[in-house]
C-alpha cells in the first residue's frame, strides 16, 4: 500500500550543465518504472533548468530547504512559494546537515514544515541520531524528540508528509546502517506514528532510509517491512547508480 519513494539529494554539487544532464539521465533511465515514485533535489539555482529537463517525465522536483517566512527582508533565503513557482512538488526539511552545520532547531523545522504544507509542498522531514547519541543508547529518544518537536501541532496527512530516517553517522561515510538497524528504527517510528496519530496514519506514512545508500545495498534495505523508500546523496549524482537504486524498488 506504500509506494516506494526514491529521492536523490544532490546537495551542493554539480553545475548548471551537469544538473540538466543528470536530470535528463534520471528521467530516461527511470522511465518505465511504474512501481516507484522518483524525485530529485537540485541546488536552488538549477531548479528551473532541471524542471525543463524533466518535462514529460514523472520524476518529481524537490527543493533541499525552504524558509518559514512568506516574503520580505530575509537575505539569502528562498520561500515555499518560490520553490513552487519554479516547479517543485516537494521539499526536504530538517536534513541533518542543516540541523548540525546551519544550526536548525526542531522549533525552526516545525515552522518550516507548517509553511511548506500551507503552501502546498509535500514535505520530506529528516530525522536521525549522531554516532555519539547511538553509542549512548539514545537513538530512540533522539528520534522521538525530533519527531515531537518537528511535527508539534501538525496533523500528519501521509499524502503530504514523508519521513526520512537518516542516521548522521551513515551520511556520506560509506557506513550504511545494516538492514536490521534501519528496520529497528523504522519500526520504532511506525509505532510512534500509531501512538501519536492513528493506525491508519501510521500504516500509510512512507518512511525513507538515508545514509550511504548505493546500488549494492538498496535492495536489502528496501526489503525490510518498514523501509518504504530511500533518500540518496552521493549515489544520486550518477544517473546509472541512481537508476539501479530505483530499479531495486
Ligand atoms: P549519502 O547522503 O547517500 O551521501 O550518505 C544521504 C543524505 O544525506 O540524504
Amino acid at each position: 500500500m506504500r509506494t516506494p519513494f526514491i529521492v536523490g539529494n544532490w546537495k551542493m554539487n554539480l553545475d548548471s550543465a551537469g544538473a540538466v544532464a543528470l536530470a535528463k539521465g534520471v528521467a530516461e533511465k527511470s522511465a518505465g518504472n511504474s512501481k516507484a515514485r522518483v524525485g530529485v533535489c537540485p541546488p536552488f539555482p538549477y531548479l528551473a533548468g532541471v524542471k525543463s529537463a524533466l518535462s514529460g517525465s514523472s520524476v518529481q522536483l524537490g527543493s533541499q530547504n525552504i524558509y518559514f517566512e512568506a516574503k520580505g527582508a530575509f537575505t539569502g533565503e528562498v520561500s515555499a512559494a518560490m520553490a513552487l513557482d519554479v516547479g517543485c512538488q516537494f521539499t526536504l526539511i530538517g536534513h541533518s546537515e542543516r540541523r548540525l552545520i546551519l544550526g536548525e532547531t526542531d522549533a525552526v523545522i516545525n515552522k518550516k514544515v507548517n509553511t511548506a504544507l500551507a503552501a502546498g509542498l509535500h514535505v520530506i522531514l529528516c530525522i536521525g541520531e549522531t554516532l555519539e547519541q547511538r553509542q549512548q543508547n539514545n537513538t530512540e529518544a533522539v528520534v522521538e524528540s525530533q519527531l515531537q518537536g518537528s511535527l508539534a501541532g501538525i496533523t500528519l496527512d501521509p499524502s503530504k508528509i514523508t519521513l526520512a530516517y537518516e542516521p548522521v553517522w551513515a551520511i556520506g561515510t560509506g557506513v550504511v546502517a545494516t538492514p536490521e538497524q534501519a528496520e529497528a528504527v523504522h519500526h520504532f517510528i511506525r509505532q510512534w506514528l500509531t501512538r501519536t496519530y492513528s493506525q491508519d496514519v501510521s500504516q500509510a506514512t512512507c518512511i525513507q532510509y538515508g545514509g550511504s545508500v548505493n546500488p549494492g545495498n538498496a535492495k536489502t534495505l528496501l526489503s525490510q517491512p518498514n523501509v518504504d523508500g530511500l533518500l540518496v546523496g552521493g549515489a544520486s549524482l550518477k544517473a546509472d547508480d541512481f537508476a539501479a537504486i530505483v530499479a531495486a524498488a
Side-chain angles (χ1 to χ4, degrees), residues 176-234:
V176 66
T178 65
E180 295 73 25
Q181 284 173 323
E183 173 58 22
V185 180
H186 283 231
H187 178 70
F188 173 78
I189 294 170
R190 187 91 57 210
Q191 287 178 318
W192 182 85
L193 289 169
T194 306
R195 279 202 307 278
T196 309
Y197 297 100
S198 68
Q199 180 76 9
D200 285 353
V201 167
S202 174
Q203 285 306 311
T205 301
C206 174
I207 309 175
Q208 296 175 318
Y209 166 82
S212 295
V213 172
N214 62 40
N217 58 31
K219 211 176 170 89
T220 6
L221 286 163
L222 286 167
S223 68
Q224 301 303 307
N226 288 294
V227 177
D228 311 313
L230 300 167
L231 183 53
V232 188

Side-chain angles (χ1 to χ4, degrees), residues 9 11 95 97 166 170-173 210-213 231-234:
N9 173 11
K11 305 193 181 183
H95 189 281
E97 285 148 19
E166 297 204 303
I171 295 179
T173 58
S212 295
V213 172
L231 183 53
V232 188

Side-chain angles (χ1 to χ4, degrees), residues 111-149:
K111 285 193 199 178
K112 291 186 173 192
V113 174
N114 268 307
T115 306
L117 292 175
L121 285 171
H122 184 98
V123 168
I124 299 183
L125 171 66
C126 307
I127 49 179
E129 82 288 0
T130 63
L131 182 59
E132 196 184 10
Q133 289 165 336
R134 172 164 284 262
Q135 285 168 341
Q136 291 168 350
N137 273 330
N138 280 333
T139 299
E140 291 185 352
V142 167
V143 165
E144 177 159 12
S145 109
Q146 289 175 337
L147 286 168
Q148 272 166 354

Side-chain angles (χ1 to χ4, degrees), residues 4-237:
F5 191 18
I6 312 295
V7 171
N9 173 11
W10 296 355
K11 305 193 181 183
M12 198 172 75
N13 292 298
L14 303 163
D15 56 17
S16 59
V20 165
L22 179 56
K24 286 190 174 151
V26 170
E28 256 169 50
K29 291 171 208 272
S30 64
N33 189 319
S34 53
K35 300 245 170 71
R37 287 184 294 149
V38 179
V40 293
C41 301
F44 281 124
Y46 307 145
L47 282 169
V50 166
K51 181 69 187 172
S52 317
L54 292 176
S55 81
S57 96
S58 58
V59 177
Q60 298 184 12
L61 187 69
S63 57
Q64 298 175 14
N65 178 39
I66 50 116
Y67 194 54
F68 55 78
E69 294 286 355
K71 63 185 279 204
F74 303 102
T75 302
E77 295 296 335
V78 171
S79 71
M82 290 169 183
L84 269 173
D85 189 28
V86 291
C88 289
Q89 286 123 303
F90 71 96
T91 183
L92 306 183
I93 295 186
H95 189 281
S96 64
E97 285 148 19
R98 298 209 57 87
R99 291 174 184 266
L100 297 170
I101 304 170
L102 294 144
E104 285 190 12
T105 60
D106 284 323
V108 163
I109 291 162
N110 179 249
K111 285 193 199 178
K112 291 186 173 192
V113 174
N114 268 307
T115 306
L117 292 175
L121 285 171
H122 184 98
V123 168
I124 299 183
L125 171 66
C126 307
I127 49 179
E129 82 288 0
T130 63
L131 182 59
E132 196 184 10
Q133 289 165 336
R134 172 164 284 262
Q135 285 168 341
Q136 291 168 350
N137 273 330
N138 280 333
T139 299
E140 291 185 352
V142 167
V143 165
E144 177 159 12
S145 109
Q146 289 175 337
L147 286 168
Q148 272 166 354
S150 308
L151 292 172
I154 292 169
T155 311
L156 197 154
D157 174 345
S159 71
K160 301 196 171 138
I161 298 184
T162 295
L163 301 178
Y165 168 59
E166 297 204 303
V168 176
W169 47 270
I171 295 179
T173 58
V175 183
V176 66
T178 65
E180 295 73 25
Q181 284 173 323
E183 173 58 22
V185 180
H186 283 231
H187 178 70
F188 173 78
I189 294 170
R190 187 91 57 210
Q191 287 178 318
W192 182 85
L193 289 169
T194 306
R195 279 202 307 278
T196 309
Y197 297 100
S198 68
Q199 180 76 9
D200 285 353
V201 167
S202 174
Q203 285 306 311
T205 301
C206 174
I207 309 175
Q208 296 175 318
Y209 166 82
S212 295
V213 172
N214 62 40
N217 58 31
K219 211 176 170 89
T220 6
L221 286 163
L222 286 167
S223 68
Q224 301 303 307
N226 288 294
V227 177
D228 311 313
L230 300 167
L231 183 53
V232 188
S236 72
L237 295 172

